[in-house]
Amino acid sequence: MKEAISTYLKKHGFEAFCPKAVLFDMDGVLYDSMPNHAVAWQQSMAEFGITMTAEDAYATEGQRGVDTIRQMVKRQQGRDIDQEEAQKMYDEKSRLFHLMPEAPIMPGIKELMEKIARRGMTICVVTGSAQRPLINRLQQDFGQYLSQDHIVTAYDVERGKPNADPYLQGLAKAGRLNPWEAIVIENAPLGVQAGVAARIFTICVNTGHLPHEIFKEKGANRIFESMPGLNDAWESLLLQLL
């Protein structure tokens, strides 16, 4: 782990690593929601003549939904669609998603947040979601650790993941922090890419079924196989980080 930190500091020219905040992705990190999202993506896009697989859903996770749709339409139908048409398609995906059973909270996540809060570190959520019911649920489930002004959504940025913008906004909302003062926890390739682009130490928790190699290629500084695994290792990990 110390080698990973040393490599991170050297890569970016930072003198020290002093994490004061943890920036969490939402789907697949806080909630075990990706199976539902994958089904909703496949069913909704089929209505518009777009073929989308579960693997496509996992690979594009974290990106703003309208951006994913515009890319899929361009690739499969060879046309550029405007924001209005993409939003109409995304609204159908959202409608189908919310007809499904509520996704459970990811095992180990509340225990992890408790450990982070006890250290006096700020907790933020950085999501590409534009679904207000999901965002409202964050307050319901994690309100004791998370305030409304520490949530970054698709509404807060013009360029979503894999661009750095969402996590740069997260740094700003966490208290105008520098990149070396935060940790990103992600589960998606594009999300890892965004955290790395923002020059933040990025931990991947691979809660889906994509190979670890994808996250290594995107620049993840450390990879865990499950959220309980990260939770169990957190205290010893933090001792090495601080």
Side-chain angles (χ1 to χ4, degrees), residues 29 31 67 79 82 98 118 173 175 193 222:
V29 173
Y31 299 110
D67 293 337
R79 62 191 184 95
D82 59 21
H98 288 294
R118 282 205 305 265
K173 288 197 174 191
Q193 188 175 340
R222 186 71 189 271

Side-chain angles (χ1 to χ4, degrees), residues 33-165:
S33 51
M34 279 310 298
N36 286 358
H37 278 293
V39 171
W41 272 119
Q42 291 175 85
Q43 292 181 351
S44 62
M45 292 304 100
E47 295 180 19
F48 299 96
I50 298 295
T51 299
M52 190 165 183
T53 66
E55 287 71 22
D56 290 330
Y58 279 91
T60 58
E61 181 197 349
Q63 185 170 241
R64 297 191 309 173
V66 291
D67 293 337
T68 296
I69 289 168
R70 296 175 82 167
Q71 290 171 9
M72 296 294 287
V73 171
K74 179 66 173 179
R75 187 180 308 137
Q76 295 188 26
Q77 298 182 350
R79 62 191 184 95
D80 295 308
I81 60 174
D82 59 21
Q83 183 76 15
E84 183 178 357
E85 184 175 355
Q87 186 64 53
K88 177 182 177 181
M89 295 169 71
Y90 182 69
D91 288 345
E92 175 61 9
K93 182 264 176 180
S94 298
R95 185 187 71 81
L96 292 177
F97 177 81
H98 288 294
L99 291 177
M100 297 179 183
E102 188 172 72
I105 294 173
M106 191 67 75
I109 193 63
K110 282 196 170 182
E111 294 85 350
L112 178 57
M113 284 191 175
E114 177 63 29
K115 292 175 181 177
I116 293 169
R118 282 205 305 265
R119 289 270 184 175
M121 301 172 75
T122 300
I123 293 173
C124 294
V125 172
V126 179
T127 175
S129 177
Q131 299 182 44
R132 292 202 182 277
L134 282 179
I135 297 164
N136 292 338
R137 189 184 170 195
L138 288 172
Q139 290 289 282
Q140 173 187 324
D141 293 335
F142 305 108
Q144 67 191 106
Y145 308 112
L146 178 69
S147 64
Q148 181 68 40
D149 58 349
H150 289 157
I151 300 174
V152 178
T153 74
Y155 298 109
D156 294 308
V157 294
E158 292 186 8
R159 301 190 310 164
K161 303 172 187 177
N163 296 291
D165 304 35

